[in-house]
């Protein structure tokens, strides 16, 4: 009874300190899930589905608009963008859509989030007066670090680099790498300065050896919009490989499977709606996963490849240990 009483007291302390204990009990999916957002009923909401497109379930609801979900490395939380407080900003929720929390107390226009591999930090784009700017922040803190001009950031699997798109203002878009240790920037692709367009960012493969992105490099842009398609490039900028043919509606926003053997991407269907497709990198087989409304990626989680990031239980363990020492 004494132990039970101490446990209840510890919970009470957390509530008194305004520390949310709900993430303690958040549960990652037990099977692979793709998180995406869609407009199917005149609203923008976040859905989950199986990797074959089955069992599509909506986890957010009107009146707020909710977009661009990304899984925490552990699968226990989803980071997303919502206008529920009046400004498009970053929020967190459990995988079932409950326990929604703001990431920052002070509102700002923050978009396109990404997790660090250890789940302790996030990267994102802030829309500033001069254009998009990449920022990073530690979860639970209000301090934001400005990194560089650019947007659509992706964090390398080893945590050492950020990849983002720069060159927006002059339409000479390129993949830029930022080394978090040396603070140096370098252009990964294309190395030569040419007119080019990239609708979204470059995403790292699970091993960090490659990046996937969409690219359109023909001018005038307006005459070749539909030729934007999916490519993969090696970590050193070599080995450019086109994955999806240029014929047909443009293909954008590639997302790696956790195993690194497939890519998700978006493309127009009948020029009336966007849908999510999956391509096998080994066989080239393409599957359409969504068929209703406008659908956008999104992130792919597989518990077999999850990193066990759960900082909240340590807080309770620390308080519990201190209480037992004082007893």
């Amino acid at each position: 009874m004494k132990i039970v009483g101490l446990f209840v007291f510890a919970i009470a302390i957390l509530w008194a300190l305004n520390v949310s204990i709900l993430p303690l009990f958040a549960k990652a999916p037990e099977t692979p899930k793709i998180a995406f957002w869609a407009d199917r009923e005149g609203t923008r909401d976040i859905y989950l589905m199986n990797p074959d497109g089955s069992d599509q379930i909506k986890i957010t609801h009107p009146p707020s608009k909710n977009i661009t979900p990304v899984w925490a490395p552990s699968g226990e939380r989803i980071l997303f963008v919502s206008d529920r407080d009046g400004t498009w900003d970053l929020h967190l929720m459990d995988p079932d859509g409950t326990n929604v929390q703001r990431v920052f107390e002070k509102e700002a226009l923050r978009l396109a989030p990404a997790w660090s591999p250890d789940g302790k930090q996030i990267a994102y784009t802030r829309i500033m007066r001069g254009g998009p700017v990449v920022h990073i922040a530690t979860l639970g803190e209000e301090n934001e670090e400005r990194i560089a001009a650019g947007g659509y950031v992706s964090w390398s699997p080893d945590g050492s680099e950020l990849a983002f798109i720069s060159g927006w203002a002059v339409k000479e878009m390129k993949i830029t790498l930022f080394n978090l240790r040396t603070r140096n920037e370098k252009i990964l692709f294309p190395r030569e300065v040419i007119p080019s367009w990239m609708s979204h960012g470059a995403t790292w493969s699970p091993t960090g050896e490659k990046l996937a992105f969409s690219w359109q490099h023909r001018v005038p842009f307006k005459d070749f919009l539909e030729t934007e398609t999916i490519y993969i490039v090696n970590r050193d900028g070599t080995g450019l490989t086109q994955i999806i043919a240029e014929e047909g509606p443009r293909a954008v926003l590639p997302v790696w499977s956790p195993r690194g053997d497939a890519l998700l991407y978006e493309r127009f269907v009948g020029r009336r709606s966007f849908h999510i497709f999956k391509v096998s990198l080994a066989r080239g087989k393409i599957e359409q996963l969504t068929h209703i409304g406008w659908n956008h990626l999104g992130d792919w989680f597989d518990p077999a490849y999850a990193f066990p990031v759960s900082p909240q239980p340590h807080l309770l363990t620390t308080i519990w240990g201190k209480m037992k020492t004082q007893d």
Side-chain angles (χ1 to χ4, degrees):
M1 291 296 295
K2 185 177 182 181
I3 292 177
V4 172
L6 284 171
F7 180 79
V8 172
F9 183 57
I11 298 295
I13 289 177
L14 290 176
W15 280 114
L17 293 173
N18 198 31
V19 176
S20 173
I21 63 171
L22 289 177
L24 282 168
F25 308 107
K27 186 178 181 181
E30 296 179 353
T31 59
K33 292 291 181 182
I34 293 169
F36 66 102
W37 62 281
D39 186 342
R40 297 182 176 178
E41 303 166 353
T43 63
R44 300 175 191 175
D45 280 298
I46 294 171
Y47 292 71
L48 301 183
M49 67 178 169
N50 295 329
D52 64 358
S54 64
D55 196 23
Q56 297 185 17
I57 300 173
K58 183 166 68 171
I59 62 171
T60 62
H61 303 279
S64 62
K65 300 180 181 69
N66 308 280
I67 62 174
T68 59
V70 286
W71 290 100
S74 66
E76 296 172 348
R77 299 286 271 162
I78 293 175
L79 179 64
F80 67 106
V81 176
S82 178
D83 70 345
R84 64 189 58 216
D85 295 318
T87 299
W88 289 103
D89 205 350
L90 304 181
H91 293 72
L92 287 162
M93 65 179 169
D94 291 350
D96 62 359
T98 62
N99 190 29
V100 177
Q101 300 170 330
R102 293 177 54 85
V103 173
F104 297 95
E105 291 185 8
K106 185 177 180 180
E107 289 186 359
L109 183 55
R110 302 179 180 93
L111 304 169
W115 291 86
S116 65
D118 63 5
K120 297 179 180 179
Q121 292 182 292
I122 56 172
Y124 49 92
T125 304
R126 283 195 62 174
I127 307 303
M128 315 294 281
R129 184 170 298 177
V133 179
V134 174
H135 287 69
I136 61 173
T138 299
L139 285 173
E141 298 181 6
E142 290 293 309
N143 294 331
E144 303 179 75
E145 180 182 355
R146 178 178 176 137
I147 296 297
Y152 290 110
V153 62
S154 176
W155 214 304
S156 67
D158 66 2
S160 66
E161 291 180 292
L162 302 175
F164 56 90
I165 303 301
S166 58
W168 298 80
V170 291
K171 290 192 169 96
E172 293 173 352
M173 301 173 77
K174 50 193 174 290
I175 303 171
T176 298
L177 300 184
F178 182 88
N179 188 300
L180 290 164
R181 182 180 60 84
T182 65
R183 322 306 286 181
N184 292 331
E185 288 183 49
K186 70 176 181 181
I187 297 172
L188 173 68
F189 180 89
R191 296 192 186 280
E192 65 277 14
V193 177
I194 61 172
S196 61
W197 180 262
M198 298 178 182
S199 290
H200 298 86
T203 57
W204 298 87
S205 67
T207 62
E209 297 174 348
K210 299 177 182 292
L211 293 98
F213 60 100
S214 66
W215 186 41
Q216 198 283 93
H217 54 95
R218 302 184 187 183
V219 291
F221 290 139
K222 63 182 179 64
D223 293 339
F224 296 97
L225 286 177
E226 300 308 309
T227 66
E228 183 177 5
T229 192
I230 307 299
Y231 294 83
I232 289 177
V233 69
N234 292 334
R235 163 67 185 75
D236 61 2
T238 64
L240 179 67
T241 303
Q242 184 176 320
I243 303 302
I244 305 298
E246 290 183 353
E247 292 79 12
R250 57 181 172 165
V252 299
L253 196 61
V255 171
W256 291 88
S257 69
R259 292 180 60 183
D261 61 347
L263 287 174
L264 303 175
Y265 62 95
E266 301 174 11
R267 78 182 319 166
F268 269 111
V269 174
R271 297 181 178 272
R272 298 185 65 181
S273 58
F274 254 116
H275 285 292
I276 297 172
F277 291 77
K278 178 173 64 176
V279 58
S280 166
L281 296 178
R283 303 188 307 273
K285 179 183 177 182
I286 296 175
E287 302 173 68
Q288 183 175 339
L289 301 186
T290 62
H291 298 83
I292 303 171
W294 291 71
N295 302 267
H296 305 274
L297 294 162
D299 196 14
W300 190 338
F301 171 77
D302 188 333
Y305 297 86
F307 183 76
V309 179
S310 300
Q312 293 89 350
H314 297 305
L315 175 61
L316 183 57
T317 302
T318 300
I319 294 177
W320 178 258
K322 288 181 178 178
M323 291 170 59
K324 291 191 70 174
T325 301
Q326 295 171 358
D327 182 46

